[in-house]
Amino acid sequence: MKELTPREIMRELNRYIIGQDEAKRAVAIALRNRYRRAQLDEDIRNEISPKNILMIGPTGVGKTEIARRLAKLVNAPFVKVEATKFTEVGYVGRDVESIIRDLMENAVRMVRNEFSKRVEARASVLAEDRLASLLVNPPSENAGNPFEFLLGGKKEPELPKEEQDKLALRREDVLAQLRSGQLEDREIEIEVEDTLPQLEVGGNSINIGDMMGGMMPKKTKIRRVKVKEARRILLEEESDKLIDEDEVREVVANYRTNNMPLDAVVLDIDYMERYKDFTVDEERFPHFADFTAEMKAQGIRLVPIIDAGVKIEDGYDVYEEGLKNGYFCTNQDGTPFVAGVWPGRVHFPDMLNPEARAWFGSQYKVLLDQGIEGFWNDMNEPAIFYSEETLKKTFAKIEEYSRQNLDISSFFAFTGMVAGLSNNENDYKLFYHNTKQGRMRHDKVHNLFGYNMTRAAGEAFERIDPEKRFLMFSRSSYIGMHRYGGIWMGDNKSWWSHILLNLKMLPSLNMCGFMYTGADLGGFGDDTTRDLLLRFLALGVFTPLMRDHAAEGTREQECYQFENIEDFRSVINARYRLVPYLYSEYMKAALNDDMYFKPLGFVYPDDKMAIRVEDQLMLGNEIMIAPVYEQNARGRYVYLPEEMKFIKFMPDGSISEEVLEKGVHYVDVALNEVPLFIRSGKCIPVAEAAECVKDIDTENMQLIGYEGSSYTLYEDDGIHKDYDKKENYRVLTK
């Protein structure tokens, strides 16, 4: 677009549209002006109202075609909507939602196509390689039990070396024929994604995936197609795998382009090779160490997930080492316990066994050596989709039910049985740990598993680099784990009530020693909304872990995905402006065995009103927070135990200050504002916003609050452990 002048835009339109020169000239100028406005600094841009393009005229004069060609020029999605659907009797608002949905789907499709083109050459080679393998050794139809894939599926028998050599030679011949186009019309069987099995029981169709909360892996089916069609299908699959690095780059680029601060990108299980701990999928991330360095140069740290289960797979070194040395939890008879999680069949490392714990911790070095400096431990309750023993019993019971005419009692008993496979309390009674105190059944020490998984990592970090701090947070834990890492609050929902729940959990975790904590902002499950995410973020501004994280299958909720991006920028900027104060209070609390978040009653124990307030918190020694957490609310009531200054970080970058006396007040808080309250006689430092923490200027800060007050700032390099240096502290006076 930037290379096209109005004249050149007209020339492009003239290729497809005859006549309407005046209209084409007008839209060309308007389009160019919108582009020029987008290049201006934000302050100036906001002073210039963009002109929309409205075309009016009878049917057939070229309005739609002009719009279509303009959209193509700027690489924007295009949706044609018939106006009659909005004038007919019975019109409902859902029709408007369908327009937005169509636009979003078109936009996603365009971006995906753009990424696919970037990796097309390499994806073509990989697709061709898979085609050759399929032609030489086609897949067999799996006609077994519909649950068989949960147990790892059927294993192909190992061929003798002579047979393998023959296949290799035939494969080379097939590759040559593919490249010459000789096999395009030949039919081939390939695996394509299928829906999870439908069980017909008592005349009812039951979707197993729905019953088990979508935890099951994707299932495939055999489809017969011509080679040229198979090539297209496989090319799409390989392209999807290869764009992972570019997807991360695109997320980072969108934050940077929109001047929104960002310091880290968390990698969920898809970065791994088939969900195997301490591996990287080389197809998705072919040069992981280089990619990590590339991100770090932009101020971005990658934070990969590590799951509790080790995949059972011959040739996988972590599995083979653990099996050889007896480092896995066992059944009562001493054989390794088998459960199902993301990779399918897994063993659980015996985290209560000191030798096994040291061994598992040492595995983190694989990723540390590639430039990773932080981790997220997950599924470490441990979570269990199913145990092998319970699943086999379930299969047998299903056979019984399939021969019955199910009445209401037996039908719900059946559905409850299948749904109850996940995290079944009886499964936790099936396996054992080897501890210093002797053999221990897991359900007796359940909460210690997550604690010791993070302990394994923390102790390993001390061995690897005792002077360096590494980031670590965990889903599951126990009292005392704060010595090794923080806590992520687990899978929440995109519900308004979960903002309040998050708020209430913060001091509770602090009292248990956990200060590095935070929830999935916007909610993990379900589809968030713009308003909900903004209110979630306004609380996340103050939590040590500020992370926007959503489940697969829910709407994409990166902040730039929503309208009026500047509102999100304003809220996140408030976080970065407050980082010097937040980090200072966090470190002082950690070093002095204090709390970062406190209930009001801890600070004002004699105030009968204060001790009953649950939706306001004291943060450090200077401020009180009172986030808005109700839908459609324009503000909220707050109780002030003493006179305080009401502070709001405004969308234009200014800071509003108002002194409020002790008592109950209603305060207005817009969606793009971040409120806090400064205690009487106190002040806090505020920096200018920056794109990442390393760029925050702590030498030139303003103090907001009460005149004549002072603040003791704690500051270190955030990397080393020299916490006791006197120069880490300095007094700032207002």
Side-chain angles (χ1 to χ4, degrees):
M1 171 64 215
K2 62 183 177 182
E3 295 87 5
L4 296 181
T5 65
R7 186 171 296 173
E8 290 168 330
I9 295 171
M10 272 207 65
R11 190 179 302 125
E12 283 295 308
L13 294 176
N14 285 335
R15 293 174 59 194
Y16 305 99
I17 303 159
I18 299 171
Q20 299 294 352
D21 290 346
E22 189 177 342
K24 290 185 290 191
R25 189 177 299 109
V27 298
I29 293 170
L31 188 62
R32 181 65 178 182
N33 285 341
R34 290 182 75 93
Y35 168 74
R36 294 175 65 188
R37 177 182 178 271
Q39 309 311 303
L40 299 172
D41 291 337
E42 186 180 357
D43 293 341
I44 302 174
R45 192 190 316 149
N46 291 334
E47 299 299 318
I48 304 172
S49 299
K51 291 183 179 180
N52 292 317
I53 300 172
L54 180 63
M55 291 182 286
I56 303 172
T59 302
V61 298
K63 302 185 300 297
T64 300
E65 193 60 23
I66 289 175
R68 194 193 312 275
R69 295 299 167 184
L70 284 179
K72 198 168 184 68
L73 279 175
V74 297
N75 199 28
F78 176 85
V79 174
K80 183 181 178 183
V81 180
E82 296 294 337
T84 51
K85 76 186 290 183
F86 300 100
T87 59
E88 294 172 350
V89 176
Y91 158 70
V92 291
R94 287 192 300 271
D95 294 325
V96 177
E97 294 177 6
S98 71
I99 299 172
I100 304 300
R101 192 161 49 249
D102 290 344
L103 278 169
M104 180 62 73
E105 288 173 357
N106 284 352
V108 170
R109 193 180 303 113
M110 290 171 66
V111 172
R112 182 160 290 279
N113 289 339
E114 183 183 338
F115 277 111
S116 296
K117 286 176 183 176
R118 297 182 193 175
V119 298
E120 188 174 3
R122 187 159 181 257
S124 295
V125 173
L126 294 170
E128 200 166 62
D129 192 63
R130 284 179 62 187
L131 265 176
S133 298
L134 290 168
L135 285 162
V136 172
N137 190 21
S140 56
E141 187 79 53
N142 183 3
N145 192 298
F147 288 90
E148 190 167 28
F149 68 93
L150 286 174
L151 294 173
K154 295 179 178 179
K155 289 188 177 180
E156 297 292 331
E158 181 127 0
L159 295 172
K161 189 175 183 309
E162 184 180 339
E163 195 65 31
Q164 289 181 22
D165 292 340
K166 286 181 181 178
L167 281 175
L169 288 172
R170 173 157 169 70
R171 192 173 182 281
E172 290 299 318
D173 290 339
V174 169
L175 264 175
Q177 294 178 60
L178 279 171
R179 289 163 184 166
S180 64
Q182 298 177 41
L183 304 177
E184 293 301 285
D185 292 324
R186 179 171 169 180
E187 288 194 337
I188 185 175
E189 290 184 338
I190 64 170
E191 286 184 320
V192 296
E193 188 177 329
D194 191 17
T195 56
L196 288 170
Q198 298 275 345
L199 292 184
E200 295 289 336
V201 183
N204 295 281
S205 290
I206 303 169
N207 187 294
I208 302 300
D210 290 344
M211 292 170 57
M212 301 184 70
M215 72 178 186
M216 289 192 172
K218 292 177 180 176
K219 192 172 184 288
T220 58
K221 66 178 180 181
I222 304 297
R223 183 181 164 195
R224 192 166 188 84
V225 296
K226 290 186 177 180
V227 164
K228 59 183 176 185
E229 174 67 7
R231 190 191 298 274
R232 182 191 64 77
I233 294 170
L234 296 177
L235 180 63
E236 287 180 2
E237 289 182 7
E238 295 300 327
S239 295
D240 285 345
K241 293 177 184 178
L242 290 173
I243 65 177
D244 281 43
E245 273 191 12
D246 278 342
E247 282 186 329
V248 176
R249 288 189 182 99
E250 182 71 8
V251 169
V252 172
N254 271 302
Y255 271 92
R256 292 288 185 251
T257 302
N258 289 292
N259 302 120
M260 299 170 76
L262 184 69
D263 268 276
V265 174
V266 177
L267 302 179
D268 216 313
I269 56 176
D270 295 304
Y271 83 92
M272 303 178 185
E273 180 192 342
R274 299 192 305 281
Y275 309 138
K276 295 186 293 186
D277 279 343
F278 311 109
T279 67
V280 176
D281 190 324
E282 292 184 357
E283 291 183 357
R284 297 172 183 250
F285 297 90
H287 307 290
F288 191 65
D290 293 342
F291 182 59
T292 302
E294 175 194 327
M295 290 292 102
K296 197 176 295 185
Q298 300 180 48
I300 303 295
R301 298 302 196 271
L302 299 178
V303 182
I305 192 174
I306 301 294
D307 273 357
V310 172
K311 182 177 174 65
I312 299 172
E313 182 180 287
D314 292 338
Y316 172 32
D317 57 347
V318 179
Y319 161 70
E320 291 185 339
E321 275 182 35
L323 192 66
K324 178 183 176 182
N325 293 294
Y327 290 153
F328 295 128
C329 295
T330 65
N331 297 303
Q332 191 171 11
D333 62 5
T335 58
F337 173 73
V338 178
V341 201
W342 296 117
R345 299 165 73 245
V346 302
H347 294 322
F348 290 127
D350 189 353
M351 297 300 180
L352 276 68
N353 178 345
E355 292 182 9
R357 189 166 62 243
W359 163 76
F360 190 83
S362 67
Q363 306 302 316
Y364 286 83
K365 192 173 185 300
V366 172
L367 293 169
L368 292 174
D369 288 344
Q370 298 186 72
I372 296 300
E373 296 174 304
F375 298 89
W376 158 33
N377 282 349
D378 196 20
M379 303 290 281
N380 55 343
E381 292 81 354
I384 298 180
F385 288 174
Y386 60 87
S387 71
E388 194 169 49
E389 181 176 327
T390 303
L391 193 60
K392 287 177 180 177
K393 292 178 180 177
T394 303
F395 293 160
K397 199 70 177 175
I398 286 173
E399 287 294 322
E400 290 181 26
Y401 280 123
S402 66
R403 294 188 294 270
Q404 296 180 24
N405 179 19
L406 298 185
D407 58 19
I408 186 170
S409 298
S410 54
F411 175 77
F412 284 110
F414 165 73
T415 57
M417 175 191 69
V418 177
L421 278 171
S422 178
N423 298 319
N424 189 311
E425 64 179 41
N426 292 318
D427 286 342
Y428 295 106
K429 300 175 182 179
L430 299 176
F431 62 101
Y432 292 78
H433 299 271
N434 289 313
T435 74
K436 287 183 177 180
Q437 290 73 35
R439 203 155 179 255
M440 191 74 66
R441 202 173 75 188
H442 176 80
D443 63 312
K444 306 292 185 181
V445 291
H446 178 67
N447 290 340
L448 293 178
F449 189 98
Y451 166 95
N452 279 287
M453 180 178 174
T454 299
R455 177 183 177 184
E459 291 175 341
F461 298 157
E462 280 290 322
R463 294 193 299 271
I464 294 166
D465 194 340
E467 298 304 315
K468 184 175 179 178
R469 285 184 265 177
F470 295 90
L471 175 67
M472 167 60 72
F473 58 93
S474 170
R475 185 164 94 179
S476 180
S477 187
Y478 195 70
I479 302 297
M481 196 209 75
H482 60 275
R483 291 173 289 182
Y484 308 107
I487 281 187
W488 152 64
M489 293 179 177
D491 293 344
N492 59 355
K493 293 285 189 179
S494 299
W495 298 344
W496 286 91
S497 60
H498 278 196
I499 302 178
L500 180 59
L501 182 61
N502 180 191
L503 188 65
K504 291 182 178 182
M505 287 176 69
L506 291 169
S508 302
L509 288 169
N510 275 195
M511 281 187 278
C512 297
F514 295 103
M515 280 177 290
Y516 190 84
T517 187
D520 286 340
L521 303 177
F524 174 75
D526 298 326
D527 292 328
T528 195
T529 64
R530 180 179 181 276
D531 290 10
L532 177 60
L533 180 56
L534 280 166
R535 293 301 195 196
F536 247 121
L537 288 168
L539 171 57
V541 161
F542 302 101
T543 59
L545 172 62
M546 185 183 188
R547 181 174 79 153
D548 180 357
H549 179 226
E552 186 178 9
T554 62
R555 71 170 298 174
E556 295 182 345
Q557 62 183 52
E558 293 89 2
C559 295
Y560 57 79
Q561 303 279 4
F562 299 85
E563 62 182 2
N564 298 331
I565 295 174
E566 61 273 12
D567 290 344
F568 292 89
R569 184 190 305 120
S570 168
V571 173
I572 300 172
N573 277 346
R575 158 70 165 213
Y576 279 68
R577 299 186 72 181
L578 287 166
V579 158
Y581 172 75
L582 300 177
Y583 183 75
S584 177
E585 290 306 302
Y586 176 88
M587 291 301 296
K588 285 189 284 188
L591 295 172
N592 297 311
D593 296 324
D594 201 353
M595 292 171 65
Y596 178 78
F597 289 112
K598 303 182 186 78
L600 268 61
F602 281 31
V603 179
Y604 306 97
D606 298 325
D607 188 320
K608 293 182 179 179
M609 184 73 173
I611 62 176
R612 288 168 171 79
V613 174
E614 294 186 306
D615 61 354
Q616 301 169 208
L617 296 176
M618 307 304 297
L619 193 167
N621 294 310
E622 285 75 24
I623 72 173
M624 181 184 77
I625 65 170
V628 178
Y629 55 85
E630 292 183 330
Q631 188 173 13
N632 299 325
R634 298 183 179 182
R636 59 162 292 170
Y637 284 98
V638 294
Y639 172 68
L640 305 186
E642 61 177 316
E643 179 195 287
M644 292 185 182
K645 264 198 176 182
F646 176 39
I647 304 295
K648 285 197 295 187
F649 288 83
M650 309 299 286
D652 63 358
S654 64
I655 298 175
S656 163
E657 300 184 45
E658 180 185 1
V659 176
L660 300 178
E661 64 183 17
K662 176 182 178 179
V664 177
H665 301 265
Y666 183 87
V667 294
D668 291 305
V669 183
L671 285 167
N672 55 9
E673 297 171 351
V674 177
L676 61 88
F677 299 82
I678 298 179
R679 296 176 64 187
S680 180
K682 307 281 187 184
C683 65
I684 64 171
V686 176
E688 291 299 315
E691 287 193 343
C692 50
V693 168
K694 69 179 179 62
D695 293 335
I696 296 174
D697 181 4
T698 59
E699 296 301 320
N700 298 287
M701 298 186 292
Q702 63 173 310
L703 291 172
I704 61 172
Y706 287 84
E707 294 294 329
S709 59
S710 62
Y711 177 74
T712 302
L713 179 74
Y714 175 92
E715 186 180 20
D716 58 30
D717 65 5
I719 299 171
H720 301 98
K721 298 180 180 178
D722 47 355
Y723 309 120
D724 298 327
K725 293 165 60 176
K726 288 184 179 178
E727 52 264 40
N728 289 348
Y729 296 88
R730 57 189 167 112
V731 178
L732 308 174
T733 302
K734 182 174 173 62

